[in-house]
Amino acid sequence: MNFYHITPVQVRFNDVDLAGHVNNSVYQEFFDLGRLEYFRQVMNEGLRFDGLGMVIASIRIDFFQPVFLFDPVSVQTKIVSLGNKSLEMKQQVLRTGSSEPLSEATTVMVCFDHTCKVSAELPESWKEKVRLFEKGEVEG
């Protein structure tokens, strides 16, 4: 799987637990940063909380190796499939210079109309921007 979007992430002192590694709960923040940057770059806008936006319906994180305080890490983000109202995103946390993921996330996001408080169809313009950015490597 090719990832075309990378977001560097700074590990902060308060991210580290008594075991000396980044606490599992912090990985969600790393993945959030990757998602926000992906939407800002690919869609030319951030996640919105008025009008049409995206909300998380499901997320699964798998952990393979720990991240430590001074590790240079980044988040790779990719949309792998597009549905009528939802999309599936894959993400990985990696040490800089390595291709081995330290953790992986699979997230399902649903298009949501914040004004009417209901799910909505993914705009075709969003789908086209994703397909173009992902070089056609997206289902749906």
Side-chain angles (χ1 to χ4, degrees):
M1 179 180 315
N2 296 312
F3 286 86
Y4 302 109
H5 190 273
I6 300 171
T7 304
V9 176
Q10 178 185 8
V11 178
R12 302 165 302 169
F13 176 76
N14 61 317
D15 295 337
V16 179
D17 60 20
L18 292 175
H21 55 70
V22 171
N23 188 279
N24 289 359
S25 64
V26 175
Y27 286 76
Q28 177 60 50
E29 294 176 25
F30 292 172
F31 292 125
D32 284 344
L33 290 169
R35 271 192 297 280
L36 287 169
E37 280 302 305
Y38 184 96
F39 284 110
R40 189 184 65 74
Q41 181 181 352
V42 175
M43 307 294 201
N44 297 322
E45 59 184 86
L47 287 177
R48 296 186 55 186
F49 301 101
D50 62 337
L52 280 186
M54 300 295 293
V55 295
I56 294 174
S58 171
I59 187 164
R60 181 181 130 190
I61 301 175
D62 295 311
F63 303 94
F64 307 119
Q65 294 181 27
V67 173
F68 298 98
L69 180 59
F70 298 108
D71 285 347
V73 294
S74 60
V75 176
Q76 294 184 338
T77 302
K78 180 177 190 65
I79 292 177
V80 294
S81 67
L82 294 164
N84 291 327
K85 293 185 174 185
S86 66
L87 58 84
E88 182 176 314
M89 182 175 277
K90 299 281 188 184
Q91 293 178 283
Q92 297 180 334
V93 172
L94 294 101
R95 278 190 191 87
T96 302
S98 174
S99 61
E100 287 296 316
L102 304 173
S103 68
E104 291 181 337
T106 302
T107 306
V108 175
M109 299 188 78
V110 174
C111 187
F112 190 77
D113 184 331
H114 291 280
T115 303
C116 299
K117 308 292 188 224
V118 296
S119 63
E121 297 231 352
L122 282 170
E124 197 58 41
S125 61
W126 292 8
K127 291 181 182 182
E128 287 306 314
K129 288 177 182 180
V130 169
R131 288 184 187 112
L132 182 63
F133 183 81
E134 298 294 352
K135 303 180 188 326
E137 299 172 10
V138 59
E139 295 179 24

